[in-house]
Amino acid sequence: MTESPLRYTPADDALDPSRGEMELEERSSLRRVAGLSTELTDVTEVEYRQLRLERVVLVGVWTEGTSEQANASLVELARLAETAGSQVMDGLVQRRSKPDPATFIGSGKVDELSVAVQAAGADTVICDGELSPGQLRQLEDKLKVKVIDRTALILDIFAQHARSRDGKAQVELAQLSYLLPRLRGWGEALSRQVGGRAAGGVGIGGRGPGETKIELDRRRIRHRMSKLRREIAAMSRVRDTQRGARRRNDVPSVAIVGYTNAGKSSLLNALTDAGVLVEDALFATLDPTTRRAETTDGRTYTLTDTVGFVRHLPHQLVEAFRSTLEEAGQADLLVHVVDASDPLPEDQIAAVRKVLVEIGEEQGGTMPAELLVVNKTDAAGDLALARLRHLLPDAVFVSAHRGDGIARLKACIAERLPRPEVDLELLVPYTEGGLVARLHSDGEVLASEHTPEGTRLHVRVRPELAVAAVPFAVGRTGSAPAEGDAAGSRDANGTADEGARAEAGARVAARG
């Protein structure tokens, strides 16, 4: 008795992990472990030692808004710190009209913060705001621990999660832009003496402090930034070429934008089965992902998942990620995803729209139409959902995790996509099967009927495709003509009636 051979079945594909699942496993394979000491009891344990999480204390300044908004900002900072690989020990908020120009918080609060740092055994303080170089130096001198601000924290997360070549280049440029005014050195102690033969014969009078180490570092950073800008510009041209190809093929584009961790990648997976990485973390995915999708009536469009936004997004990131954010500015439709489970969704919407307005102003025009999508309805309470439905009556409510509302979202996207401009009635001979296929793939076929003379079509197409279809245009009627009518409307060579063709050509010229 012989064994039956192994056979492939479509169910085997379900066992293969998606690209996003593999990236998530890779990201989780090297993670700091909380609560493990780094002190060695035996030298033989050196290969098995685990890194201890950075213990951080958070501090913020409440200058405007409500106390709920101030607390939400600090909670978001805590999530950012945890995403970066830290353990939050404590948090302080001070009510002030504006941050202290010397130490960000008042001198009394600095003493209180120092006590909290010592009590928690923290080795890092994270400030909820962007610190000037002077504030950074003064706080470190007084607290005797490392001090970073919100911008440096976000840049660190971006550096951890960037995977593509252009993403890494953009993050490095943002980090160098942030670092350049904050370089600190030993002043003239690290200067290079010039003079004598070593200085090329300058001799007496040419000796002096020379060029300090910090000036050399600044020059190297500026040189590296110039190189990165050239590389990013070259990669931007590649993206422009790809976008140009889609425009020539008349493929509409939809950009998914929204606050970080609002569920943009989950929504992309639900709409297109993209299989991109999904993680309950801030800025889990940075690199834009574009996938092909189709409407229910067969029209093709692209869906692009863009980088997430956050309150007080560092201007260095906006500058560095300008070419990536242009995907949103040049799309035909923006799908703005809002987290229904967030306690302050209105602030999320305002933060995203603020960045979108900046992008639109830089491009010298207005932004595309916006479709609000409220995601994570499965994680929000009934009262919160009722409030959001009243606040956002035109929004589409979905759950990408459970699949609720996805069909309605697809229908809304199809309704708002730009439609072909030229409306034509065609009678295409059966010998022109290639044209009929193009009309179905690149246009919108409203009606189709087979007649003895050929295929009768009522289509909407772009001007470029209309040029190829105009020779087969016929008069506008509600149905296919009878055999005698068709014969009367066509000459002996089987070409379209000249009057109908001229009228269709005029429509194409006017639309094109």
Side-chain angles (χ1 to χ4, degrees):
M1 183 177 180
T2 59
E3 296 182 359
S4 60
L6 294 176
R7 293 183 178 178
Y8 168 81
T9 61
D12 294 339
D13 286 338
L15 302 177
D16 296 333
S18 65
R19 181 170 63 89
E21 291 172 340
M22 289 189 290
E23 289 182 7
L24 181 60
E25 182 178 356
E26 179 184 353
R27 184 176 294 180
S28 303
S29 62
L30 180 61
R31 191 175 293 276
R32 292 170 177 169
V33 180
L36 296 181
S37 173
T38 59
E39 300 300 325
L40 298 180
T41 57
D42 187 348
V43 72
T44 59
E45 297 177 3
V46 67
E47 295 298 330
Y48 307 100
R49 180 173 55 181
Q50 298 287 343
L51 290 176
R52 180 172 65 88
L53 286 168
E54 282 190 68
R55 301 161 69 89
V56 302
V57 172
L58 312 178
V59 59
V61 173
W62 172 20
T63 58
E64 59 183 3
T66 64
S67 60
E68 184 182 8
Q69 291 174 322
N71 293 335
S73 181
L74 204 66
V75 169
E76 183 177 84
L77 187 68
R79 293 204 62 191
L80 288 169
E82 292 170 353
T83 303
S86 302
Q87 182 181 5
V88 178
M89 308 303 298
D90 202 354
L92 304 175
V93 177
Q94 182 182 25
R95 174 66 164 164
R96 292 177 62 92
S97 59
K98 61 180 180 179
D100 190 281
T103 55
F104 185 66
I105 55 177
S107 56
K109 213 61 171 177
V110 172
D111 296 336
E112 183 180 340
L113 178 60
S114 179
V115 172
V117 167
Q118 294 176 7
D123 46 28
T124 304
V125 170
I126 303 178
C127 297
D128 192 13
E130 185 168 346
L131 301 179
S132 67
Q135 290 173 328
L136 200 63
R137 184 167 51 249
Q138 292 240 29
L139 277 176
E140 287 192 346
D141 290 343
K142 294 179 180 296
L143 299 175
K144 308 303 180 186
V145 294
K146 181 175 67 176
V147 177
I148 63 173
D149 57 14
R150 184 188 183 93
T151 302
L153 178 61
I154 294 176
L155 291 174
D156 182 79
I157 296 172
F158 272 57
Q160 291 181 43
H161 292 175
R163 301 186 62 85
S164 66
R165 178 169 169 262
D166 51 348
K168 291 178 180 178
Q170 290 167 339
V171 171
E172 185 180 356
L173 177 60
Q175 287 180 313
L176 292 177
S177 301
Y178 173 81
L179 177 64
L180 185 60
R182 292 170 175 80
L183 280 180
R184 285 175 289 178
W186 293 95
E188 294 184 358
L190 294 179
S191 65
R192 302 194 313 172
Q193 293 279 335
V194 298
R197 296 178 181 175
V202 176
I204 298 174
R207 299 184 179 92
E211 191 174 34
T212 60
K213 175 67 165 55
I214 193 171
E215 289 169 346
L216 283 174
D217 291 340
R218 284 175 180 155
R219 192 194 324 156
R220 291 191 185 101
I221 288 177
R222 291 191 184 101
H223 177 74
R224 178 61 180 166
M225 289 172 65
S226 298
K227 183 179 179 181
L228 287 171
R229 287 193 179 100
R230 290 193 297 270
E231 292 178 357
I232 292 173
M235 289 182 279
S236 178
R237 285 193 291 271
V238 173
R239 280 192 294 271
D240 290 339
T241 302
Q242 295 171 343
R243 283 195 293 261
R246 291 197 292 267
R247 293 192 198 101
R248 286 193 299 272
N249 294 327
D250 298 321
V251 179
S253 61
V254 178
I256 303 177
V257 299
Y259 210 77
T260 179
N261 203 36
K264 299 183 297 298
S265 298
S266 300
L267 194 63
L268 179 67
N269 288 341
L271 291 172
T272 65
D273 296 326
V276 298
L277 182 143
V278 174
E279 184 180 7
D280 185 16
L282 305 184
F283 299 113
T285 53
L286 301 181
D287 303 317
T289 302
T290 301
R291 291 292 184 269
R292 180 178 179 272
E294 282 190 2
T295 62
T296 54
D297 54 2
R299 287 178 292 155
T300 301
Y301 65 98
T302 60
L303 267 172
T304 301
D305 178 19
T306 60
V307 64
F309 301 122
V310 73
R311 298 181 188 93
H312 314 300
L313 188 67
H315 66 274
Q316 294 94 343
L317 281 176
V318 176
E319 175 69 26
F321 279 78
R322 187 184 310 277
S323 57
T324 301
L325 295 174
E326 284 177 357
E327 288 285 350
Q330 298 183 9
D332 295 298
L333 176 66
L334 293 180
V335 174
H336 183 171
V337 185
V338 183
D339 186 358
S341 63
D342 189 85
L344 297 173
E346 307 97 316
D347 291 355
Q348 286 192 359
I349 296 174
V352 172
R353 285 178 174 170
K354 180 181 178 182
V355 179
L356 292 176
V357 168
E358 293 177 4
I359 298 171
E361 291 176 350
E362 290 172 357
Q363 294 183 355
T366 58
M367 293 300 291
E370 178 190 61
L371 173 61
L372 275 175
V373 177
V374 180
N375 192 19
K376 301 186 181 180
T377 55
D378 56 311
D382 294 338
L383 184 61
L385 289 177
R387 176 176 168 273
L388 284 173
R389 291 183 192 278
H390 176 74
L391 184 67
L392 309 170
D394 297 328
V396 181
F397 287 74
V398 303
S399 170
H401 178 67
R402 293 191 312 203
D404 301 342
I406 297 299
R408 181 168 181 266
L409 174 59
K410 289 181 178 180
C412 290
I413 292 176
E415 290 175 3
R416 303 197 182 200
L417 285 178
R419 292 182 176 272
E421 298 93 345
V422 183
D423 190 291
L424 293 175
E425 284 276 1
L426 305 174
L427 186 59
V428 185
Y430 291 116
T431 56
E432 300 292 336
L435 177 60
V436 175
R438 284 188 61 194
L439 292 171
H440 278 278
S441 62
D442 300 339
E444 184 179 355
V445 178
L446 303 178
S448 174
E449 184 177 354
H450 297 291
T451 68
E453 293 77 25
T455 306
R456 178 82 176 206
L457 296 169
H458 180 196
V459 297
R460 286 199 187 103
V461 293
R462 304 284 181 183
E464 294 81 1
L465 182 55
V467 172
V470 159
F472 305 101
V474 296
R476 293 293 302 277
T477 58
S479 60
E483 184 175 352
D485 297 337
S489 65
R490 303 173 66 84
D491 59 20
N493 296 324
T495 58
D497 176 75
E498 294 297 335
R501 189 169 63 186
E503 180 186 353
R507 290 203 305 271
V508 172
R511 303 269 185 169

Short mmCIF file of all heavy atoms in Angstrom, two decimals, residues 169 173 177 222 224-235 319:
data_model
loop_
_atom_site.label_atom_id
_atom_site.label_comp_id
_atom_site.label_asym_id
_atom_site.label_seq_id
_atom_site.Cartn_x
_atom_site.Cartn_y
_atom_site.Cartn_z
N ALA A 169 17.06 57.66 6.55
CA ALA A 169 17.71 58.92 6.19
C ALA A 169 16.93 60.12 6.74
O ALA A 169 17.52 61.08 7.25
CB ALA A 169 17.83 59.03 4.67
N LEU A 173 18.36 62.80 9.54
CA LEU A 173 18.38 64.24 9.29
C LEU A 173 17.67 65.00 10.41
O LEU A 173 18.14 66.05 10.87
CB LEU A 173 17.72 64.53 7.94
CG LEU A 173 17.59 66.01 7.56
CD1 LEU A 173 18.97 66.67 7.48
CD2 LEU A 173 16.85 66.16 6.24
N SER A 177 19.44 67.70 12.92
CA SER A 177 18.90 69.06 13.04
C SER A 177 18.63 69.42 14.49
O SER A 177 18.84 70.57 14.91
CB SER A 177 17.60 69.18 12.22
OG SER A 177 17.82 68.89 10.87
N ARG A 222 27.02 69.40 9.74
CA ARG A 222 26.46 70.14 8.60
C ARG A 222 26.75 69.43 7.29
O ARG A 222 25.91 69.39 6.39
CB ARG A 222 27.02 71.56 8.58
CG ARG A 222 26.53 72.44 9.72
CD ARG A 222 26.90 73.90 9.48
NE ARG A 222 26.51 74.72 10.61
CZ ARG A 222 27.34 75.14 11.56
NH1 ARG A 222 28.63 74.76 11.52
NH2 ARG A 222 26.91 75.88 12.55
N ARG A 224 27.19 66.19 6.90
CA ARG A 224 26.34 65.00 6.85
C ARG A 224 24.89 65.39 6.52
O ARG A 224 24.21 64.70 5.75
CB ARG A 224 26.40 64.28 8.20
CG ARG A 224 25.51 63.04 8.31
CD ARG A 224 25.89 61.99 7.30
NE ARG A 224 25.04 60.82 7.41
CZ ARG A 224 24.97 59.86 6.48
NH1 ARG A 224 25.71 59.94 5.38
NH2 ARG A 224 24.18 58.83 6.66
N MET A 225 24.41 66.50 7.08
CA MET A 225 23.04 66.94 6.79
C MET A 225 22.88 67.30 5.32
O MET A 225 21.85 66.99 4.71
CB MET A 225 22.68 68.13 7.69
CG MET A 225 22.50 67.78 9.15
SD MET A 225 22.30 69.24 10.21
CE MET A 225 20.76 69.90 9.59
N SER A 226 23.89 67.95 4.75
CA SER A 226 23.81 68.28 3.32
C SER A 226 23.74 67.02 2.47
O SER A 226 22.97 66.94 1.50
CB SER A 226 25.03 69.12 2.91
OG SER A 226 25.07 70.34 3.63
N LYS A 227 24.54 66.02 2.84
CA LYS A 227 24.51 64.76 2.09
C LYS A 227 23.16 64.07 2.22
O LYS A 227 22.61 63.54 1.24
CB LYS A 227 25.63 63.84 2.60
CG LYS A 227 25.73 62.53 1.83
CD LYS A 227 26.87 61.67 2.36
CE LYS A 227 26.93 60.34 1.59
NZ LYS A 227 28.02 59.48 2.10
N LEU A 228 22.59 64.07 3.44
CA LEU A 228 21.29 63.44 3.64
C LEU A 228 20.20 64.15 2.86
O LEU A 228 19.30 63.51 2.29
CB LEU A 228 20.94 63.43 5.14
CG LEU A 228 21.71 62.44 6.00
CD1 LEU A 228 21.42 62.69 7.48
CD2 LEU A 228 21.34 61.01 5.63
N ARG A 229 20.25 65.48 2.80
CA ARG A 229 19.24 66.22 2.04
C ARG A 229 19.31 65.86 0.55
O ARG A 229 18.28 65.75 -0.12
CB ARG A 229 19.42 67.73 2.23
CG ARG A 229 19.00 68.22 3.61
CD ARG A 229 18.89 69.73 3.65
NE ARG A 229 18.45 70.19 4.96
CZ ARG A 229 19.27 70.68 5.89
NH1 ARG A 229 20.58 70.75 5.65
NH2 ARG A 229 18.79 71.07 7.05
N ARG A 230 20.53 65.68 0.03
CA ARG A 230 20.66 65.29 -1.37
C ARG A 230 20.10 63.89 -1.59
O ARG A 230 19.41 63.64 -2.60
CB ARG A 230 22.14 65.34 -1.80
CG ARG A 230 22.70 66.76 -1.90
CD ARG A 230 24.03 66.76 -2.63
NE ARG A 230 25.05 65.99 -1.91
CZ ARG A 230 25.87 66.50 -1.00
NH1 ARG A 230 25.81 67.78 -0.69
NH2 ARG A 230 26.78 65.73 -0.42
N GLU A 231 20.37 62.97 -0.66
CA GLU A 231 19.85 61.61 -0.80
C GLU A 231 18.32 61.60 -0.72
O GLU A 231 17.65 60.91 -1.50
CB GLU A 231 20.44 60.72 0.29
CG GLU A 231 21.93 60.46 0.15
CD GLU A 231 22.47 59.60 1.28
OE1 GLU A 231 21.68 59.28 2.20
OE2 GLU A 231 23.66 59.26 1.25
N ILE A 232 17.76 62.37 0.21
CA ILE A 232 16.30 62.41 0.36
C ILE A 232 15.66 63.03 -0.88
O ILE A 232 14.60 62.59 -1.34
CB ILE A 232 15.92 63.17 1.64
CG1 ILE A 232 16.36 62.38 2.88
CG2 ILE A 232 14.42 63.45 1.69
CD1 ILE A 232 16.19 63.13 4.18
N ALA A 233 16.31 64.06 -1.45
CA ALA A 233 15.78 64.67 -2.66
C ALA A 233 15.78 63.67 -3.82
O ALA A 233 14.83 63.63 -4.61
CB ALA A 233 16.61 65.91 -3.03
N ALA A 234 16.85 62.86 -3.90
CA ALA A 234 16.90 61.84 -4.96
C ALA A 234 15.80 60.80 -4.76
O ALA A 234 15.14 60.38 -5.73
CB ALA A 234 18.27 61.18 -4.99
N MET A 235 15.59 60.37 -3.51
CA MET A 235 14.52 59.40 -3.24
C MET A 235 13.15 60.01 -3.46
O MET A 235 12.21 59.32 -3.86
CB MET A 235 14.66 58.87 -1.81
CG MET A 235 15.86 57.96 -1.62
SD MET A 235 16.01 57.27 0.04
CE MET A 235 16.76 58.64 0.92
N GLU A 319 9.94 68.70 8.84
CA GLU A 319 10.87 69.09 7.78
C GLU A 319 11.48 67.88 7.11
O GLU A 319 11.56 67.80 5.88
CB GLU A 319 11.97 69.98 8.39
CG GLU A 319 13.08 70.37 7.42
CD GLU A 319 12.60 71.32 6.35
OE1 GLU A 319 11.61 72.04 6.60
OE2 GLU A 319 13.19 71.33 5.26
#
